[in-house]
Amino acid sequence: MSDSQTTRKTQQHCTVPLSDRSRTATITSQWLLESSEDCAAAPIHHHNTLQTYICGEETFQAIAQDIRSAEESIDIVCWGFDPAMELVREARPWPRGDTWGDLLRLAAEGKLDARKKVQVRVLAWYDELADTLMPHDNLQGYATTFGWRSLLKRQPFNDRADQHKYAQPSQAASAQIQRAGLQAMRGGQFTPEDYQRLQALVSQPLDPEEVRRRRASYNLRWFGDVVSAKVEGLSLRVRQGLRKDVLDAMAAERSAGKLGAFEQIGLEFAATHHQKTIVIDYHGKRPRAYVLGLNSVTDYWDTKEHRFNDPRRGAPFEGDASDHSGGAGWDGASADKRSLKPYQDYGCRIEGEAVASVYRNFVQGWNRARSPGPGGGANIGEQVDHHKPAAHLTAANKPPYSRVQVLRTFPEAGERSIERLYYQNIRWARHYIYIENQYFQHAAWARELKAQRKAYVQDLTDAQRKAVPTLHLIVVTPSAERKQMVPRTHDAVAELGHGDSMPNQDRMIRNELKRQAEYEKALEEHNRLTTLEAGFASPPIKPQLSAVTKSYIEAGGIRQAQQVRDELNGAAKLRTLVASLWTYDEEWNLANTPIGRKVEAEQRGYQRALKEWQRRGVDAQSTPLVPPPDRSRELKQAQALHYREIYIHSKLMIVDDSMFTLGSANLNLRSFASDSEINIATDDPDKAKDLRQRVWSQHTKGEWDGGEATDPITMTETFEAWESQAGDSFDRQREGKALTSFLVKFHDVRTSRIRVS
């Protein structure tokens, strides 16, 4: 199926009467999927109230409040689940607040705010084959006990500090010592000063290895007890990969032969269930649901301020500490990185009819999942008709309402509605498309955007329209977490005229094409001489082109980045920007770094020697004074380490203050075809504008929210301001200066001839 065919089939065709007098007609843009095919799988729900959240602090705080007030049920679908993760956090060692494990257990026992026993079901992804091919630690503690890693016979941890199977160890130990201290004080054995010293000792941070041990012990016990049905009302099931369904879903891509063997294996045999949703009290008085990009794993908690170090994010050993920064010399380990990396992502809370679609997705997944033990609970017998949502879903709702569509990539049912939405909204965009995505790797989408824009501009030109509005595409994406993802990222950004943002990958392809051109020229000369019988020299040796370069040739070849940008601005009236997000350590001081102290000591020594040299006078002139060594390179490296890339885990698109979609799906083939995904989309202009202004204000640290982005002059000013700010931050980063915003021009110097998605 071609890209244009994908786009056309999503439209609802209708006849619009044309006025005899004005010769004009008014129609409404179709931002959601309105064809009969799409509405069968993803009906549009009209009565909903939405709330969007930026980053983990906001999102998980809202989730924690809803969990505490749950009265009937809590149904969770997740890619990863970390029972030891805290949803609301204080700046202290683990546990920094109530954990997922404690909240769900207490909800099941009826010990939260609602004081009712709640049915809790957790549906997570775990597949032994995928975990073998590409190991994930998405269920921290589960694989060690129930997966293939249990074959390693790792012994469970014993936590001597616990007095209760789910007690928070540091608090339990503190409480024990507090009781002992009070008793001793009453008996005259301890003075109040003695007790204060003891209390201060208890409150000190634990040794990292001790925290690691307690955290791992907690997760092992939690999974062990839930799987073995020791926690009444709390059930766990896991979903495995669906290789046959994925093979069927990707038949077109496989037959086209555009996937390398390694990439194809990863897509088809290491596909994941990547959805993240929560449904609370579906049958209760106030049903609500969440569609998330955030994983329920410790790494994903962060504030909108994205501090360089934030102890609430957790210590590096609690998650994935690698920063994934692509720039040479900017991604090394640093003693200054005392916490997990910053994260950007989103969540959306729904009340209304659309909760039925989210719950239906849970029911389908739950009934097909497997139970690793007796704690898997029972199948759900009800049939959820999301075309006729139950009346109680909207009983508590009040206007204004939002139209909502719940979209999926669901290989089991052949659904690819998220991909269809991304392609459809290329047609309707007039002022801006804002993409914030973990994996911006779908070059076909970028090519279709260019084709649609060129056709649109040509149509307006043919109609003698003098003013053709410029479309501004802003892409915010991180350095790829693996260098094997560099080729797909380069394919996509090069289509938009930003191949020079990945200069070494660009150069590698150019060099291969240059060798190919030299070979073809030499072969032509060889054939000419042979024809003239001027000689029979051996033919030139044909160079081998990598699969990456071959695919680039098939996509239209490589051109200068600026040339592509100029052509897009002319023929397509399309301006493009690709940026990343970085944070700066405001507390950083060169004097406090090892190299800074070394340089300072060398300078002090040199000044002392200089004074002595001067005191000795003329007699010393014959003895040269050796200056301190040049440490400029080491100093530059030290300066580089007080910048840190914010890991963009987002899956967000906003268009023209008219629609947005967010959820679990990335902008790559994996999310569009092989992984199971779920997104929410709405064409509520007020919600789209509000979210866009909050996001843009966050990225520019309050300087630029874009104002009225559908005004052509304002949008041009915004785009140019972002372009200038991203470029300025890129230069300031290289000069060791403070950043004035999070925006930095996208740049990745890595190369790879192996592709993965």
Side-chain angles (χ1 to χ4, degrees), residues 455-619:
Y456 170 69
V457 171
Q458 188 60 53
D459 287 344
L460 292 184
T461 303
D462 293 343
Q464 298 182 350
R465 284 283 298 272
K466 294 181 180 180
V468 179
T470 297
L471 176 64
H472 301 85
L473 172 64
I474 299 175
V475 177
V476 178
T477 191
S479 303
E481 64 190 57
R482 301 184 185 95
K483 75 173 186 177
Q484 291 83 7
M485 293 178 174
V486 164
R488 286 296 183 196
T489 306
H490 180 261
D491 288 347
V493 300
E495 288 288 343
L496 303 176
H498 293 275
D500 55 354
S501 66
M502 308 181 79
N504 293 342
Q505 184 75 5
D506 221 37
R507 190 177 301 114
M508 182 189 78
I509 295 173
R510 289 182 188 279
N511 288 339
E512 287 196 20
L513 293 175
K514 182 181 178 182
R515 289 193 293 271
Q516 176 73 10
E518 290 172 348
Y519 159 75
E520 291 174 353
K521 185 176 180 180
L523 181 61
E524 182 181 349
E525 179 65 11
H526 169 78
N527 293 337
R528 186 182 69 82
L529 294 174
T530 303
T531 302
L532 295 173
E533 297 184 349
F536 295 94
S538 300
I541 299 174
K542 184 177 182 179
Q544 294 297 316
L545 293 179
S546 65
V548 170
T549 301
K550 288 178 181 177
S551 70
Y552 215 89
I553 294 172
E554 292 170 2
I558 194 164
R559 291 170 291 171
Q560 294 290 340
Q562 186 60 55
Q563 178 188 352
V564 176
R565 292 197 292 269
D566 291 342
E567 289 178 1
L568 290 177
N569 195 18
K573 289 293 182 181
L574 174 64
R575 299 181 69 181
T576 61
L577 171 65
V578 184
S580 295
L581 301 178
W582 288 72
T583 190
Y584 171 78
D585 188 1
E586 300 287 352
E587 301 175 358
W588 184 87
N589 189 323
L590 182 61
N592 294 332
T593 65
I595 186 60
R597 290 191 290 270
K598 186 174 185 178
V599 168
E600 186 179 356
E602 290 174 346
Q603 285 292 339
R604 286 198 302 267
Y606 176 72
Q607 291 300 324
R608 286 195 299 269
L610 180 61
K611 288 180 181 179
E612 176 64 20
W613 186 79
Q614 292 171 339
R615 186 187 64 79
R616 289 165 56 192
V618 179
D619 294 340

Side-chain angles (χ1 to χ4, degrees), residues 577-579 721-731 741 743-745:
L577 171 65
V578 184
W722 275 50
E723 197 172 44
S724 173
Q725 202 165 68
D728 178 65
S729 295
F730 183 81
D731 294 336
S741 76
L743 289 171
V744 178
K745 185 173 68 174

Side-chain angles (χ1 to χ4, degrees), residues 17-63:
L18 190 67
S19 169
D20 290 335
R21 289 188 175 183
S22 65
R23 299 294 180 180
T24 62
T26 301
I27 62 172
T28 302
S29 300
Q30 295 181 28
W31 295 108
L32 303 180
L33 302 180
E34 298 188 8
S35 71
S36 57
E37 175 188 349
D38 291 303
C39 287
I44 297 173
H45 301 292
H46 295 266
H47 298 90
N48 304 277
T49 55
L50 303 178
Q51 179 62 52
T52 53
Y53 304 97
I54 303 175
C55 295
E57 181 184 37
E58 278 189 4
T59 311
F60 287 118
Q61 184 175 41
I63 290 170

Side-chain angles (χ1 to χ4, degrees), residues 300-316:
Y300 296 82
W301 193 100
D302 196 14
T303 68
K304 291 187 292 186
E305 290 72 31
H306 294 312
R307 296 180 179 89
F308 186 90
N309 281 312
D310 190 335
R312 292 173 295 174
R313 288 202 297 262

